[in-house]
């Protein structure tokens, strides 16, 4: 028996050695040409992103946006940022180990990411305890910056986006009765629904019915038939674009022609690709509008298309701005120190990026004016 | 010196390895009677949610929560085990898979209690709570030359290591007992075992309940190590992941799933340097393994061979101190 235990101990010792040696190899190799850049603040910024797995498209857009921003920022010479990118595969435990690696092995000054709100719920408290400033670029669920003093985000939360789009829709269509439809097994759509319901109640709208669906569902006729019978003025749908597009398609085929108001997950050009003409009449609020008449936006879209061969989406844009905010804070802090960076981040006010004017409130949450868009004739247009 | 070696990153990975090892053991137990159960993710969820809810809402100490979660999962194991164990092979697998999904759907829809798909956050963290308790008694990690977070993760790691070793020891001993022999007999041939006077229903339910108990325990630990859980953590993917530990490592001996869990948890971390390609390599390794060793990496032959090797080497070095097992 003792021999067995001993063997087990050897086994674990050996295997942990294996882990240790395997993980220690790749130190940041970016700071070799350091001294020449004079007074520039040099900092390692960790990135936790969803690079592999079903949501890898988000992670790709985010890392592309970050890399583009990094190139420009380092080119200017005031701040020199070295990105250390780690994959989370969309899993909480992976995100947490990635964060531990960045905080303890790579000694990064700050972290951008992780991609999902669920991941942030796990990583945020740990970063906060370690005193590492962390900024989400795509975490829109409620309560994220409230995790702690070191947790920030620059992604427009649903609590700002949804009421804005509902407001504009009420104004335009004089809506009084609404039906709500949402996916109840996904954090994103569920939290979007909570915000929608609250907003609808605050605006005094009559909620005719609340219908649910599940991820990956393909037939929504039962829910839509019920909604059609109740004759709402507006349908509030908290769905991701893949389900959302199918819902719109089936609704239009059924003869429901009232406008849809969607959350952030509904906001994707893919809706038009999937649903075609049926997508007309979808109203979403977004921090990012690529057609905006603004020099910065045009320059960013041009550069991004040149580099990666496609149009940037909101994830790329938010990541791009996030790194600029980090750089601004690093410049103000004057040194690559975690606490100094946190204080400098908290003081960011009226930052002018491609998303518009941006400030942090006292909790580290977003203060900005969202743009409300509507799909008309197969394209996103500004909704007035 | 010691303080620099203790990197929370490695300890965090090690903690997940240990939790996965416990999960690997849980599926090994049911497999050792020849039953393929995919309900372990569901039992894990029961353990995790029970413990998290009790500690969050009733201020129960973590140990109490973990025990309650474990026991409840065990009770469910018995309740589910009795009717479903009439089924065999793939039918049992389907029913247990269905059970896991039912549990997940309950977590999603019981919003007043579980907050639905948003999940439970702010669950008391095992290491941090321990540190706070110790601090009340005037203990400071600096005495050991450690930072707070180093101490937190070291504590978690040591607790999990102790727990894992005890669980493995227990089931190794059980294998050599009357119960273990009965399990093995049932696995080989149910009819023959029955005719030898083994109470098949009793032992099958026992194995099923033990598996549920261990999975629930792992789930409860998971909740208090991660401090956040959501129903998606206990979905179909988790069930398959647990199954792969056993399939990859081999399910003949307990070291199989243990090795499987270790290897498959370490791999994604080791492969971090190739970032987005790492899951491709990971998948490739699994496919190659399946093709080359369909029975799993570790089986009785390999163990015997390893034993032979190590004992020979020991004799060569003249330190042979052969003791009885």
């Amino acid at each position: 028996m003792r021999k067995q235990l001993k063997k087990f101990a050897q086994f674990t010792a050996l295997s942990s050695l294996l882990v240790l040696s395997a993980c220690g190899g790749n130190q940041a190799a970016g700071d070799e040409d350091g001294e020449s850049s004079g007074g520039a603040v040099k900092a390692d910024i960790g990135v936790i992103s969803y690079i592999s797995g079903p949501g890898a498209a988000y992670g790709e857009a985010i890392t592309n946006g970050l890399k583009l921003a990094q190139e420009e920022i380092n080119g200017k010479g005031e701040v020199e940022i070295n990105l250390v990118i780690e994959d989370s595969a969309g899993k909480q435990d992976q995100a947490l180990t990635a964060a531990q690696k960045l905080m303890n092995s790579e000694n990064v000054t700050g972290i951008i990411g992780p991609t999902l709100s669920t991941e942030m719920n796990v990583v945020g408290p740990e970063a906060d305890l370690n005193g590492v400033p962390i900024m989400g670029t795509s975490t829109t669920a409620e309560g994220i910056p409230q995790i702690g003093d070191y947790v920030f985000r620059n992604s427009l939360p649903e609590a700002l986006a949804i009421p804005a789009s509902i407001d504009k829709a009420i104004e335009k269509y004089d809506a009084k009765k609404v039906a709500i439809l949402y996916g109840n097994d996904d954090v994103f759509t569920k939290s979007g629904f909570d915000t929608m319901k609250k907003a609808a109640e605050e605006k005094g709208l009559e909620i005719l019915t609340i219908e649910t669906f599940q991820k990956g569902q393909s037939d929504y006729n039962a829910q839509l038939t019920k909604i059609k019978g109740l004759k709402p003025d507006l349908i509030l749908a908290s769905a991701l674009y893949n389900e959302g597009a199918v819902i719109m398609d089936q609704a239009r085929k059924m003869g429901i022609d009232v406008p849809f108001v969607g959350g952030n997950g509904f906001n994707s050009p893919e809706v038009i690709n999937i649903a075609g003409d049926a997508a007309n009449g979808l109203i979403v609020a977004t921090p990012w509008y690529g057609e905006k008449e603004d020099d910065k936006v045009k320059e960013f879209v041009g550069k991004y298309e040149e580099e990666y061969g496609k149009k940037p989406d909101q994830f790329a844009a938010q990541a791009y701005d996030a790194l600029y905010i980090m750089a601004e804070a690093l410049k103000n802090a004057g040194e690559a120190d975690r606490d100094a960076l946190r204080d400098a981040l908290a003081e960011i006010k009226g930052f002018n990026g491609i998303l518009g004017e941006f400030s942090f409130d006292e909790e580290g949450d977003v203060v900005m004016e969202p743009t409300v868009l509507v799909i008309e004739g197969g394209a996103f247009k500004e909704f007035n | 010196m010691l303080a620099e070696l203790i990197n929370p990153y490695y300890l965090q990975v090690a903690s997940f390895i240990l939790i996965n090892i416990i999960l690997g053991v849980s599926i090994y137990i049911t497999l050792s009677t020849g039953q393929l159960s995919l309900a372990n993710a569901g039992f894990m969820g029961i353990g995790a949610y029970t413990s998290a809810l009790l500690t969050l809402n009733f201020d129960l100490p973590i140990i109490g929560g973990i025990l309650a979660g474990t026991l409840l999962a065990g009770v469910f194991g018995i309740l589910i085990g009795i009717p479903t164990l009439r089924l065999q092979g793939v039918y049992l697998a389907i029913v247990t898979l269905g059970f896991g999904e039912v549990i997940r759907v309950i977590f999603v829809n019981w919003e007043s209690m579980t907050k639905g798909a948003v999940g439970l956050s702010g669950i008391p963290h095992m290491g941090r709570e321990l540190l706070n308790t110790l601090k009340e008694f005037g203990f400071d990690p600096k005495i050991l030359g450690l930072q707070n977070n180093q101490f937190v993760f070291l504590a978690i790691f040591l607790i999990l290591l102790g727990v894992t070793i005890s669980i493995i020891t227990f089931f190794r001993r059980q294998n050599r007992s009357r119960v273990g022999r009965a399990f093995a007999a049932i696995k080989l041939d149910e009819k023959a075992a029955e005719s030898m006077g083994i109470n098949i229903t009793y032992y099958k339910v026992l194995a099923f309940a033990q598996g549920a108990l261990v999975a629930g325990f792992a789930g409860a630990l998971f909740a208090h190590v991660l401090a956040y859980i959501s129903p998606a953590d206990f979905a179909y993917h988790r069930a398959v992941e647990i199954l792969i530990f056993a399939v990859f490592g081999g399910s003949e001996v307990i070291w199989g799933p243990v090795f499987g869990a270790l290897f498959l948890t370490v791999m994604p971390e080791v492969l971090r340097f190739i970032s987005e390609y790492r899951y491709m390599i990971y998948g490739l390794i699994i496919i190659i393994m399946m093709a080359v060793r369909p029975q799993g990496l570790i089986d009785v032959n390999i163990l015997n061979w390893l034993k032979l090797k190590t004992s020979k080497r020991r004799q060569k070095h003249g330190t042979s101190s052969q003791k009885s097992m």
Side-chain angles (χ1 to χ4, degrees):
Chain A
M1 204 43 241
R2 186 166 296 156
K3 206 174 135 202
Q4 292 302 326
L5 271 182
K6 206 171 153 193
K7 230 179 247 170
F8 181 77
Q10 283 174 349
F11 183 59
T12 36
L14 215 117
S15 43
S16 39
L17 257 180
L18 197 93
V19 185
L20 287 171
S21 58
C23 297
N26 53 334
Q27 282 300 318
D31 353 0
E32 274 154 22
D33 52 346
E35 257 80 309
S36 61
S37 48
V41 183
K42 282 197 300 177
D44 285 344
I45 299 291
V47 178
I48 306 170
S49 194
Y50 192 167
I51 311 177
S52 61
Y58 300 122
E60 196 194 330
I62 289 169
T63 43
N64 285 349
L66 288 173
K67 281 178 189 157
L68 197 62
Q70 181 198 16
E71 227 170 82
E72 291 177 20
I73 292 166
N74 288 353
K76 283 180 194 157
E78 284 176 320
V79 187
E80 198 181 325
I81 291 178
N82 178 35
L83 291 177
V84 188
I85 300 174
E86 291 294 346
D87 177 29
S88 71
K91 295 179 185 160
Q92 288 104 288
D93 45 352
Q94 290 265 327
L96 186 57
T97 49
Q100 294 284 17
K101 183 176 182 208
L102 291 171
M103 292 187 287
N104 299 301
S105 292
E106 310 281 356
N107 284 317
V108 297
T109 313
I111 296 179
I112 291 181
T115 306
L116 307 177
S117 298
T118 47
E119 294 173 333
M120 190 54 132
N121 267 326
V122 174
V123 174
E126 196 54 48
D128 189 49
L129 278 179
N130 286 336
V132 181
I134 182 166
M135 177 156 58
T137 67
S138 54
T139 45
T140 53
E142 237 183 286
I144 296 289
Q146 286 76 16
I147 290 172
D149 289 342
Y150 287 83
V151 185
F152 298 86
R153 71 167 154 206
N154 83 327
S155 45
L156 189 71
E158 298 279 44
L160 271 180
I162 289 173
S165 45
I166 293 182
D167 263 347
K168 289 233 172 153
I170 296 176
E171 222 173 89
K172 172 112 179 212
Y173 300 108
D174 193 25
K176 292 194 176 60
K177 299 178 292 180
V178 295
I180 306 182
L181 186 64
Y182 77 103
N184 72 345
D185 61 345
D186 184 87
V187 193
F188 196 77
T189 51
K190 167 72 172 64
S191 134
F193 159 73
D194 291 340
T195 319
M196 261 176 194
K197 190 164 166 247
K198 214 171 105 198
E201 278 163 0
E202 272 168 14
K203 316 264 184 251
L205 295 170
E206 185 191 346
I207 300 173
L208 297 170
T209 176
I210 295 171
E211 297 293 320
T212 61
F213 61 88
Q214 276 81 41
K215 225 186 254 179
Q217 192 171 326
S218 54
D219 179 10
Y220 304 91
N221 281 314
Q223 291 95 326
L224 290 172
T225 312
K226 189 168 169 200
I227 289 174
K228 191 185 177 192
L230 293 167
K231 295 201 176 58
D233 301 326
L234 212 57
I235 297 175
L236 311 181
S238 179
L240 297 178
Y241 69 83
N242 4 21
E243 282 94 18
V246 180
I247 291 175
M248 289 200 76
D249 188 40
Q250 290 180 1
R252 300 296 187 236
K253 277 183 186 141
M254 208 182 255
I256 302 177
D257 51 8
V258 295
F260 276 69
V261 176
N264 224 335
F266 216 147
N267 172 23
S268 163
E270 283 299 309
V271 178
I272 303 169
N273 292 344
I274 299 171
D277 283 344
N280 291 342
L282 172 67
I283 301 160
V284 288
T286 173
W288 166 243
Y289 181 49
E291 314 286 310
K292 208 192 244 172
E293 292 297 322
D294 182 288
D295 290 340
K296 270 189 177 173
V297 173
K298 278 183 180 160
E299 195 193 331
F300 169 67
V301 172
K303 272 193 184 168
Y304 191 94
E305 265 193 298
E306 193 184 317
E307 192 90 11
Y308 305 108
K310 54 183 156 191
K311 279 197 188 305
D313 59 6
Q314 58 165 334
F315 295 101
Q318 282 170 338
Y320 180 86
D321 253 12
L323 199 65
Y324 264 101
I325 293 170
M326 276 279 184
E328 178 80 17
L330 278 169
K331 197 173 79 187
N332 294 345
E335 54 177 332
D337 177 73
R338 290 172 175 177
D339 290 315
L341 176 61
R342 190 221 91 83
D343 294 340
L345 272 177
E347 273 165 20
I348 295 262
K349 288 262 155 15
F351 171 84
N352 228 323
I354 51 171
L355 304 179
E357 200 175 300
F358 175 91
S359 305
F360 284 119
D361 68 4
E362 61 273 19
E363 283 175 323
D365 212 342
V366 177
V367 184
M368 68 187 295
E369 204 54 49
T371 318
V372 180
L373 302 179
V374 64
I375 299 180
E376 256 172 28
F380 277 107
K381 295 212 172 83
E382 250 178 289
F383 183 64
N384 292 310
Chain B
M1 210 284 291
L2 178 74
E4 273 160 29
L5 275 179
I6 300 171
N7 184 331
Y9 167 50
Y10 303 142
L11 291 174
Q12 184 88 63
V13 176
S15 306
F16 286 130
I17 291 174
L18 291 170
I19 290 178
N20 283 341
I21 286 179
I22 300 177
L23 285 169
V25 170
S26 81
I27 198 159
Y28 164 78
I29 302 163
T30 39
L31 278 173
S32 67
T33 59
Q35 314 170 77
L36 174 58
S37 159
L38 294 174
N40 289 25
F43 292 131
M44 186 187 169
I46 293 176
Y49 265 91
T50 311
S51 183
L53 287 172
L54 285 176
T55 47
L56 274 177
N57 297 337
F58 299 101
D59 290 328
L60 211 65
I62 293 181
I63 295 185
I66 291 179
L67 280 181
T70 312
L71 287 179
L72 193 68
V75 169
F76 266 90
I78 297 173
L79 289 179
I80 303 301
I82 292 172
T84 54
L85 292 180
R86 295 163 183 275
L87 302 168
Q88 279 181 340
V90 71
Y91 303 102
L92 178 66
I94 291 168
V95 168
T96 47
L97 187 64
F99 167 75
E101 277 299 287
V102 167
I103 294 292
R104 187 184 67 84
V105 169
I106 289 175
F107 290 151
V108 167
N109 288 294
W110 194 2
E111 282 176 18
S112 56
M113 199 67 179
T114 63
K115 291 196 200 155
V118 176
L120 292 170
S121 54
I123 302 169
H125 188 274
M126 206 173 3
R128 287 172 212 150
E129 293 289 308
L130 184 72
L131 181 65
N132 287 343
T133 328
L134 286 177
K135 272 194 172 161
E136 277 171 28
F137 291 106
F139 171 82
D140 190 349
K142 296 216 169 58
I143 299 170
L144 299 172
L146 296 175
Q147 301 288 327
N148 276 357
N149 68 335
Q150 283 178 322
F151 175 80
V152 163
F153 288 100
L154 190 65
I156 292 183
F157 173 70
L158 291 177
I159 292 171
L160 289 178
L161 188 67
V163 161
T164 312
I165 291 177
S166 341
I167 288 178
I168 293 177
T169 315
F170 175 82
F171 284 106
R172 277 183 58 80
R173 302 214 69 166
Q174 180 179 280
N175 267 355
R176 289 155 196 277
S177 73
R178 186 187 179 85
V179 180
R181 305 275 188 242
F183 284 179
I186 293 172
K187 183 181 186 179
L188 280 175
D189 192 330
E190 255 181 53
K191 296 265 156 42
E194 195 167 22
S195 65
M196 294 296 286
I198 293 172
N199 184 345
I200 292 193
T201 319
Y202 171 75
Y203 283 111
K204 279 171 98 174
V205 174
L206 179 68
F208 202 80
Q210 278 183 342
L213 206 65
V214 174
F217 183 58
L221 292 174
F222 179 79
H224 292 289
V225 168
L226 219 54
Y228 168 81
I229 49 173
S230 70
D233 294 336
F234 310 109
Y236 168 72
H237 300 282
R238 178 76 65 178
V240 173
E241 201 181 292
I242 300 172
L243 181 64
I244 291 180
F245 295 152
V247 173
F248 182 86
S251 56
E252 281 181 35
V253 284
I254 198 165
W255 300 116
V258 170
F259 176 78
L262 175 87
F263 187 83
L264 294 175
T265 321
V266 168
M267 230 30 215
E269 291 301 321
V270 174
L271 293 175
R272 269 200 187 284
F273 65 97
I274 44 173
S275 67
E276 57 254 60
Y277 300 106
R278 66 195 178 116
Y279 272 96
M280 286 184 212
I281 306 289
Y282 178 88
L284 206 65
I285 292 174
I286 292 182
I287 292 173
I288 293 172
M289 277 296 305
M290 296 291 146
V292 181
R293 282 190 75 81
Q295 76 275 41
L297 195 61
I298 306 231
D299 62 0
V300 179
N301 292 334
I302 289 268
L303 270 192
N304 286 338
W305 179 76
L306 277 176
K307 254 178 219 162
L308 208 72
K309 269 255 165 167
T310 46
S311 64
K312 257 190 194 163
R313 198 181 299 156
R314 265 184 212 155
Q315 273 161 1
K316 227 185 261 170
H317 288 276
T319 51
S320 77
S321 56
Q322 292 290 350
K323 263 185 211 163
S324 64
M325 290 288 215

